[in-house]
Amino acid sequence: MRRLRHAELPEATETLARYLVGKTLVRIVPEGRLAGRIVETEAYLPRDAACHAYGGLTQRNRALFMAHGHVYVYFIYGNHFMLNVSSEAEGVGAGVLLRAVEPIEGIALMQKYRGITRLRELANGPGKLAQAFRIDMRLYGHDYCAGAPLWFADTVEPVRRIGKSRRIGINKNAHRLLRFYERGNPFVSGPKSLRN
């Protein structure tokens, strides 16, 4: 799989969120390699009240203010990590949440990490994705274009039509159409009305 370079990643949040649909997420773990097609993302723009960078730079959100292409991981609900990528120029806080992945390599390891065997449920949601890909705070601030243990790779198969909808599970700026997904893909999360 060909690793994506920084120059290939759009330096604009909404554009990057759409661009990543169909690209490949690759993770190296001690037991082997995990990979999956990104099938769903959400954009969190500069000055967006739903974005963790909205209140300004803090120790928790500093990765969102790094140059585009860096890992921002956070812990939520006391048991889930969420995987994001910084998406603007250095000093501008914004990011893209990776919401769902279609597993293509290392599936047995993902099943082990998730404790389930049903393929469609391995990474069809941001918490599930993070668990299946062994995402935790040790990856915080990592450059996706710098190599192991986590990177973006090129598309392995053509993307079908890309859908656009409101973001899921937020209250602030919930009306904004900043969620992007591959239409009809069974690995996309959310209700059926937000997958077609």
Side-chain angles (χ1 to χ4, degrees), residues 17 25-26 33-34 44 49 61 79 83 87 103 107 110-111 115 129 131 134 147 158-159 163 178 181:
L25 180 67
V26 182
R33 186 166 86 169
L34 312 169
Y44 289 85
N61 70 16
N79 60 352
L83 179 62
S87 54
I107 291 170
M110 293 183 201
Q111 290 170 326
L129 184 161
Q131 187 177 18
R134 276 287 165 106
V159 180
L178 294 171
Y181 60 97

Side-chain angles (χ1 to χ4, degrees), residues 74-88:
Y74 64 92
F75 195 58
I76 192 168
Y77 306 132
N79 60 352
H80 293 299
F81 289 102
M82 303 292 219
L83 179 62
N84 301 257
V85 54
S86 61
S87 54
E88 297 282 340

Side-chain angles (χ1 to χ4, degrees), residues 119-190:
L119 186 63
R120 286 188 181 182
E121 294 179 8
L122 287 181
N124 66 334
K128 295 175 183 181
L129 184 161
Q131 187 177 18
F133 277 73
R134 276 287 165 106
I135 303 300
D136 59 31
M137 297 306 291
R138 289 174 289 187
L139 294 166
Y140 190 98
H142 172 79
D143 184 343
Y144 280 100
C145 299
L150 184 69
W151 73 85
F152 294 129
D154 211 348
T155 303
V156 293
E157 68 177 67
V159 180
R160 299 174 211 132
R161 293 183 307 135
I162 293 179
K164 187 175 181 179
S165 80
R166 62 180 173 76
R167 294 174 290 188
I168 296 175
I170 62 168
N171 296 318
K172 297 175 182 175
N173 285 340
H175 65 286
R176 301 182 79 172
L177 303 180
L178 294 171
R179 174 178 166 266
F180 301 92
Y181 60 97
E182 185 174 42
R183 286 187 179 275
N185 188 297
F187 296 91
V188 170
S189 71

Side-chain angles (χ1 to χ4, degrees), residues 61-73:
N61 70 16
R62 63 184 166 77
L64 287 175
F65 290 85
M66 292 178 173
H68 76 297
H70 287 81
V71 175
Y72 171 55
V73 178

